[in-house]
Amino acid sequence: MREVATVLFLVVLATAVATFARRWRIPAPSLLVLAGLAVALIPGAPELRIPPQTIALVVLPPLLYAAAEELSLRDLRMVWRPVTILAFGLVLASAAAVGYIAVAVTGLPPVMAFVLGAVLASTDPVAVTALGRRLALPGRVQVLVQAESLFNDATSLVLFKVAVGIAVAAGAVSWPAVGGEFVLLAGGGSVIGAAVAGVVALIRRRTTDPVLETVIALVTPYTAYVLAESAHTSGITSVVVAGVLLGRSSHRLSDAQIRLQLHAVYAVVVFLLESVVFSIVGLELPTLVRDLPSGTGWWPLQALALAAVLIGVRVLWMLPLSAAAKATGGRHSWRVAAVVTWAGTRGVMPLAAALSIPLTTTSGALLPGRPLVLVLTTAVIVFTLVVQGLSLAPIVSRSGLALEPEHTAREEADARDILNRAALAHVDQLAELETQPEPVIDRMRRGLGARLDHTTDSPDGNTMDAAYRELRHEVIAVQNAELRRLFDEHRISDTTRRSLQHDLDREDAALGDH
């Protein structure tokens, strides 16, 4: 009962915090972490101890799936080189640097310093997506930031498992075994994710019930995660691959009404889970600090040093990567590098990994340094979410990369005109073929003409007969096809495509059944 009350309190707290975050134009994750930290510091506040499997199984799959569905596969193909360099090379470099500095400044045993480095090496897709959602970045830069955080999991997860294995068993590193484990985790997770996406696509093509579609969409990320983990591969990779593939084909798997319902349901689910999980990060820190042994009072300065190392390594790594980043930013490659560097926040996934570190070694002795690793991990997460999260928007604004609202509005308006012209050309063809009654054709022409002239559509009468509804459905299908053509030809951004698709879906659903 106490756990239920805690979750309800977190939901209420998150709703209030999100309201103020929007009003003050502050990233909600950063404010949620601060709110959770403030609540945990209140005298008499209950200690919060969340089992790591709860975060890994209940929270992460839907959040990662939603982030992956937002990823544009078209733009992803254009940034795969810098994404690969960041997801592999930067993760390894960050783990090595943090491990080395941790030994020097914290006194952790080398094996536990290696564990800490592996935990903090990768950026967090949940945090990055939540922070980046409100930034008006160019499409390819946004994809670069999100894709790096989504695809560096395999590297960091292998490092973490190897590091924990060494710490627990005090064994030597077998690099062939490490390579084999990486192939199993990343490759196996990708195969299972693709298989789940294929099966779900077949089922959704044959399902027309909105309730069943919603249930399938909610179950899909959990299915991908559980199947992959049961096969001892990467559940996170499986969820990401399934989300990317299904997100690419979502317009072919369901109709407008179902897409609108799925969008509304997932918006609620993502809001609730993000709100709770970022609050937990703040709530966990004081609890973990109380478990620290004596003689570890320097942890705030140690966490600050580790956070500085992570940012420094990221800056040094991005300098030579600027040439590769030209593909995403042209002559502004250094500005792209600056934004991508500062967007590398840590979040929920490092916390879940740190909490899953075993308590004892294989001999039954307590694992040395585990409490300090948990505190340092959580402190670095709080630091990056607050400091980098609150300053990311000003940095994006100063970089000159942020798209002006007028640019987005103009692109959307131009795309609407193209869709309406395509619809009008289709109606003219139908008029020549005389396949529709002339009054219906004239009414449709007037409506489309009013949209092109940006005036009010005033058709005769307040009701729509069956012939007009059928023609309007047909015209919307033509506009959907034209919208996909504009996107495939790189004439509009993914943001514009999603906005116009949502508007067409609303109009199509309002017309009723075909």
Side-chain angles (χ1 to χ4, degrees), residues 16-27 31 134 390:
V17 168
T19 302
F20 285 107
R22 291 182 180 179
R23 181 176 299 177
W24 298 338
R25 296 183 179 180
I26 296 175
L31 203 57
R134 62 187 293 271
L390 292 177

Side-chain angles (χ1 to χ4, degrees), residues 11-91:
V11 170
V12 173
L13 175 67
T15 304
V17 168
T19 302
F20 285 107
R22 291 182 180 179
R23 181 176 299 177
W24 298 338
R25 296 183 179 180
I26 296 175
S30 304
L31 203 57
L32 284 167
V33 170
L34 291 175
L37 188 59
V39 170
L41 294 175
I42 296 175
E47 293 186 352
L48 183 66
R49 298 183 185 276
I50 304 296
Q53 60 269 23
T54 300
I55 296 178
L57 177 60
V58 178
V59 176
L60 286 181
L63 292 181
L64 290 169
Y65 182 79
E69 270 202 321
E70 293 180 7
L71 198 62
S72 167
L73 195 58
R74 181 203 71 177
D75 291 340
L76 180 59
R77 294 192 187 101
M78 298 184 178
V79 298
W80 70 268
R81 288 185 180 88
V83 166
T84 302
I85 295 172
L86 291 171
F88 290 90
L90 181 56
V91 168

Side-chain angles (χ1 to χ4, degrees), residues 53-260:
Q53 60 269 23
T54 300
I55 296 178
L57 177 60
V58 178
V59 176
L60 286 181
L63 292 181
L64 290 169
Y65 182 79
E69 270 202 321
E70 293 180 7
L71 198 62
S72 167
L73 195 58
R74 181 203 71 177
D75 291 340
L76 180 59
R77 294 192 187 101
M78 298 184 178
V79 298
W80 70 268
R81 288 185 180 88
V83 166
T84 302
I85 295 172
L86 291 171
F88 290 90
L90 181 56
V91 168
L92 295 172
S94 298
V98 169
Y100 179 80
I101 298 299
V103 171
V105 303
T106 68
L108 282 170
V111 289
M112 289 305 292
F114 183 26
V115 171
L116 178 61
V119 166
L120 293 175
S122 63
T123 57
D124 185 79
V126 178
V128 170
T129 301
L131 290 172
R133 198 175 286 132
R134 62 187 293 271
L135 300 175
L137 288 172
R140 295 178 189 176
V141 179
Q142 182 73 15
V143 168
L144 175 59
V145 171
Q146 291 186 356
E148 179 219 348
S149 61
L150 282 168
F151 289 105
N152 62 21
D153 165 68
T155 309
S156 60
L157 188 60
V158 169
L159 282 178
F160 175 71
K161 288 193 173 184
V162 171
V164 170
I166 295 173
V168 171
V173 179
S174 173
W175 292 112
V178 171
E181 189 170 6
F182 176 79
V183 172
L184 177 64
L185 286 169
S190 299
V191 170
I192 292 176
V196 169
V199 172
V200 170
L202 289 175
I203 296 174
R204 288 180 59 180
R205 283 195 181 98
R206 290 160 176 78
T207 305
T208 57
D209 188 333
V211 175
L212 290 178
E213 280 268 16
T214 303
V215 172
I216 292 170
L218 290 174
V219 169
T220 297
Y222 293 109
T223 303
Y225 184 87
V226 171
L227 288 177
E229 289 293 321
S230 300
H232 304 290
T233 63
S234 172
I236 302 300
T237 303
S238 177
V239 172
V240 170
V241 170
V244 170
L245 294 178
L246 288 172
R248 180 194 180 199
S249 57
S250 61
H251 63 279
R252 296 193 298 268
L253 301 179
S254 53
D255 59 26
Q257 181 181 357
I258 292 175
R259 283 196 296 270
L260 289 173

Side-chain angles (χ1 to χ4, degrees), residues 236-512:
I236 302 300
T237 303
S238 177
V239 172
V240 170
V241 170
V244 170
L245 294 178
L246 288 172
R248 180 194 180 199
S249 57
S250 61
H251 63 279
R252 296 193 298 268
L253 301 179
S254 53
D255 59 26
Q257 181 181 357
I258 292 175
R259 283 196 296 270
L260 289 173
Q261 180 166 313
L262 290 178
H263 178 78
V265 170
Y266 250 99
V268 174
V269 171
V270 168
F271 171 77
L272 291 177
L273 292 180
E274 282 184 351
S275 301
V276 170
V277 81
F278 286 121
S279 301
I280 287 173
V281 173
L283 287 166
E284 280 275 4
L285 183 56
T287 301
L288 296 172
V289 169
R290 296 186 190 106
D291 294 337
L292 281 177
S294 59
T296 52
W298 293 97
W299 66 265
L301 293 178
Q302 294 165 354
L304 187 63
L306 294 177
V309 168
L310 287 171
I311 295 174
V313 170
R314 197 169 174 85
V315 170
L316 293 175
W317 195 267
M318 287 302 302
L319 291 177
L321 191 62
S322 295
K326 287 183 179 180
T328 66
R331 60 190 178 87
H332 302 298
S333 59
W334 67 269
R335 298 177 182 177
V336 175
V339 170
V340 174
T341 296
W342 206 246
T345 57
R346 272 63 186 173
V348 182
M349 288 184 62
L351 177 63
L355 289 172
S356 68
I357 298 173
L359 294 172
T360 61
T361 64
T362 52
S363 63
L366 289 176
L367 195 64
R370 182 180 185 274
L372 183 57
V373 168
L374 293 180
V375 168
L376 292 175
T377 298
T378 310
V380 170
I381 292 170
V382 171
F383 176 86
T384 59
L385 282 175
V386 173
V387 175
Q388 291 179 251
L390 292 177
S391 58
L392 183 57
I395 287 177
V396 171
S397 177
R398 288 176 177 270
S399 71
L401 289 175
L403 298 176
E404 296 294 332
E406 295 79 7
H407 175 276
T408 304
R410 184 170 58 253
E411 180 182 82
E412 190 170 315
D414 292 343
R416 288 184 191 277
D417 287 347
I418 294 174
L419 299 187
N420 289 326
R421 290 193 187 95
L424 192 57
H426 180 73
V427 172
D428 289 340
Q429 290 178 354
L430 294 178
E432 293 177 2
L433 297 174
E434 298 181 353
T435 58
Q436 294 285 348
E438 187 174 344
V440 173
I441 293 290
D442 289 341
R443 184 180 177 187
M444 185 62 67
R445 278 174 170 164
R446 288 200 305 274
L448 293 171
R451 295 185 182 197
L452 284 170
D453 295 335
H454 303 288
T455 58
T456 303
D457 179 9
S458 302
D460 296 333
N462 295 321
T463 61
M464 293 185 293
D465 56 28
Y468 181 83
R469 281 200 301 272
E470 188 64 31
L471 178 58
R472 190 72 191 102
H473 281 303
E474 185 177 339
V475 166
I476 290 175
V478 171
Q479 290 177 310
N480 273 318
E482 183 69 8
L483 180 62
R484 288 192 291 273
R485 186 185 68 82
L486 292 176
F487 179 72
D488 291 339
E489 294 179 358
H490 302 270
R491 297 175 62 182
I492 60 173
S493 66
D494 188 54
T495 302
T496 297
R497 180 190 68 83
R498 290 180 182 274
S499 176
L500 295 181
Q501 180 72 70
H502 184 70
D503 290 345
L504 290 174
D505 287 346
R506 290 177 58 187
E507 188 174 355
D508 197 18
L511 292 171

